[in-house]
Amino acid sequence: SVYGGIQLLSSPIVGNFSDLLGRRRVLIICLFLTSVGYAFMGLANTMLLMSLARLMNGIFKHSLSLAKAHISDIYSRKEQPGIFGKFNAISNAGFIVGPLCGGHLAMTDNGFLKVSLLSGSTFFINGLLVYIFFNVDEDHAETKNTNDQIEQIDSKDDNQHKQRNLFAIFSNLQQLPWSEVYGILIIRFLMALSVIFFRSGLSLFLVDRYQANTKTIGYILSYSGLLGGLSGFIVGKLSTFYKGNSLRAVLHCDLLAGLAILGCTFSKDLWIFCICLVPLSISTNLSRVHFTSILVNSGKDNEHGALIGVGQSIMSLGRMLSPSIVGFLQVINIFLPGIVAVIVNVVAAIAIVFMKPIRIHSKNE
């Protein structure tokens, strides 16, 4: 909850910093400081120190959203669903390897410390890789024509004045197209809350429903990550069926996710549960891609980072609220989180049906 609460506040601010200061610079800072946060978490011996470490990670762990903002900068609206799908697929590879490595490493002496240091080292290495190879600002500038370069210089001069004033960050956030995106943000919150409700109590559900042990749970989590990775590669092809109608894609994903969660909740056998995870992974990946596409295309080019950050804040709000709610629901009945998740899906579907179309900005606006 500490982590989710801090991400709720920090995501749009960090995204806006990247709009003003550049993706590369902010990404490097976030990766290195996240590395430090994980190291502190492994060394923490009290709940206070653990919370402070999570606080640090909550502030700076935004590498995925910053990478998505960069993708939205360099790819057209038609290309974005396929690129975001592949990006999510590669990201999900970590959810395949991570639970397996972390689970086995955690069983050794000082396992939590080793897992934390390994995570911190991974972020540190990523920071070095970005510093060495990610020279997109320079490469991008070289591809501009002379007139664009002059405009960019003038724009940078203006931005430098803004950067000297911390209040410019909050001023820019106020200028975001809130009237255009508040509806899709509410829908994203509802759909995210539904999936988080289901996944937050997943381990306890597997133990209670199928008497699964720790190893079985680890394999199921890795299997879920594998599904997420594989489904990411077909998101681009699936998106072509919607011909740019992202809102309709989100509606279909919401309905499919609700049916999948319903099947997982009431499946009597573990193999049926695993089959129901397939449509859930596909719908989650597809909706995530189209939500990102809707958000970045509803704002101007210099608002991509902030808009994606706002979207991440909505996810963080769900992560912050869900643990205590799911815990309370599971005390009453082990099936109740899944039932409530499906009800939330239905509410989201109704909201999508009555939602007004979102104005899409052109690439050069």
Side-chain angles (χ1 to χ4, degrees):
S1 293
V2 170
Y3 176 79
I6 296 301
Q7 287 250 307
L8 173 66
L9 300 174
S10 64
S11 292
I13 296 175
V14 171
N16 204 3
F17 264 116
S18 74
D19 288 332
L20 293 175
L21 304 178
R23 312 284 183 223
R24 178 177 181 270
R25 185 183 305 175
V26 176
L27 182 57
I28 290 173
I29 293 172
C30 286
L31 286 169
F32 283 146
L33 291 179
T34 302
S35 172
V36 175
Y38 272 108
F40 281 165
M41 191 163 66
L43 297 171
N45 55 7
T46 65
M47 281 300 299
L48 176 61
L49 293 177
M50 176 69 73
S51 297
L52 291 175
R54 290 296 283 168
L55 176 69
M56 189 171 186
N57 284 347
I59 294 173
F60 296 107
K61 190 179 175 185
H62 298 288
S63 53
L64 288 179
S65 59
L66 291 173
K68 289 179 181 179
H70 172 62
I71 290 174
S72 69
D73 291 339
I74 61 176
Y75 288 99
S76 67
R77 180 170 172 251
K78 291 183 178 179
E79 295 174 302
Q80 285 173 12
I83 300 298
F84 281 131
K86 293 176 182 177
F87 175 82
N88 290 336
I90 295 172
S91 300
N92 281 328
F95 291 99
I96 303 171
V97 180
L100 291 175
C101 296
H104 286 286
L105 195 59
M107 297 298 292
T108 62
D109 293 335
N110 295 319
F112 182 73
L113 173 62
K114 294 177 182 177
V115 172
S116 299
L117 292 178
L118 178 61
S119 300
S121 301
T122 304
F123 275 95
F124 185 80
I125 293 171
N126 281 339
L128 290 178
L129 292 175
V130 171
Y131 180 80
I132 296 170
F133 297 108
F134 190 63
N135 296 317
V136 66
D137 295 337
E138 294 80 356
D139 294 340
H140 185 63
E142 291 175 1
T143 62
K144 296 290 186 181
N145 57 38
T146 305
N147 292 333
D148 288 340
Q149 288 177 351
I150 294 173
E151 291 176 1
Q152 284 182 351
I153 292 172
D154 293 337
S155 176
K156 287 179 180 179
D157 289 339
D158 292 337
N159 283 336
Q160 284 175 355
H161 292 293
K162 292 181 180 179
Q163 292 163 15
R164 295 191 187 101
N165 188 353
L166 181 61
F167 291 103
I169 299 294
F170 301 98
S171 175
N172 289 344
L173 288 175
Q174 291 177 352
Q175 296 172 9
L176 293 178
W178 295 108
S179 60
E180 296 286 336
V181 301
Y182 79 92
I184 198 66
L185 290 175
I186 292 173
I187 292 168
R188 179 168 191 176
F189 170 72
L190 291 173
M191 291 181 62
L193 194 65
S194 171
V195 176
I196 294 171
F197 270 2
F198 171 72
R199 294 189 182 277
S200 290
L202 184 57
S203 297
L204 184 59
F205 177 82
L206 291 173
V207 172
D208 189 87
R209 179 68 167 164
Y210 307 110
Q211 290 74 49
N213 55 30
T214 305
K215 184 182 292 186
T216 302
I217 293 172
Y219 281 120
I220 290 175
L221 293 177
S222 295
Y223 166 73
S224 179
L226 177 62
L227 290 178
L230 294 176
S231 62
F233 286 106
I234 65 172
V235 162
K237 294 182 179 180
L238 291 175
S239 296
T240 59
F241 292 106
Y242 294 99
K243 299 179 180 179
N245 191 342
S246 292
L247 204 56
R248 186 175 64 167
V250 169
L251 175 61
H252 292 170
C253 290
D254 177 69
L255 296 174
L256 183 60
L259 291 173
I261 292 174
L262 195 64
C264 288
T265 301
F266 292 104
S267 58
K268 293 183 179 181
D269 299 310
L270 187 58
W271 66 271
I272 299 177
F273 176 91
C274 292
I275 290 175
C276 291
L277 287 178
V278 176
L280 181 61
S281 294
I282 294 174
S283 60
T284 301
N285 256 313
L286 188 59
S287 65
R288 191 184 305 163
V289 164
H290 282 280
F291 272 128
T292 304
S293 182
I294 291 172
L295 281 175
V296 297
N297 288 292
S298 63
K300 300 175 183 178
D301 286 351
N302 62 350
E303 297 172 338
H304 289 173
L307 286 169
I308 291 178
V310 170
Q312 289 297 114
S313 290
I314 296 299
M315 299 287 288
S316 299
L317 180 61
R319 295 190 191 101
M320 182 178 65
L321 296 176
S322 63
S324 55
I325 297 175
V326 170
F328 174 75
L329 293 175
Q330 284 186 324
V331 170
I332 300 173
N333 190 294
I334 196 67
F335 299 107
L336 204 51
I339 296 172
V340 173
V342 174
I343 293 173
V344 173
N345 276 115
V346 173
V347 174
I350 295 172
I352 295 170
V353 170
F354 290 100
M355 182 178 171
K356 295 180 180 179
I358 295 177
R359 177 176 176 265
I360 302 298
H361 284 257
S362 62
K363 195 68 182 169
N364 32 338
E365 266 189 289

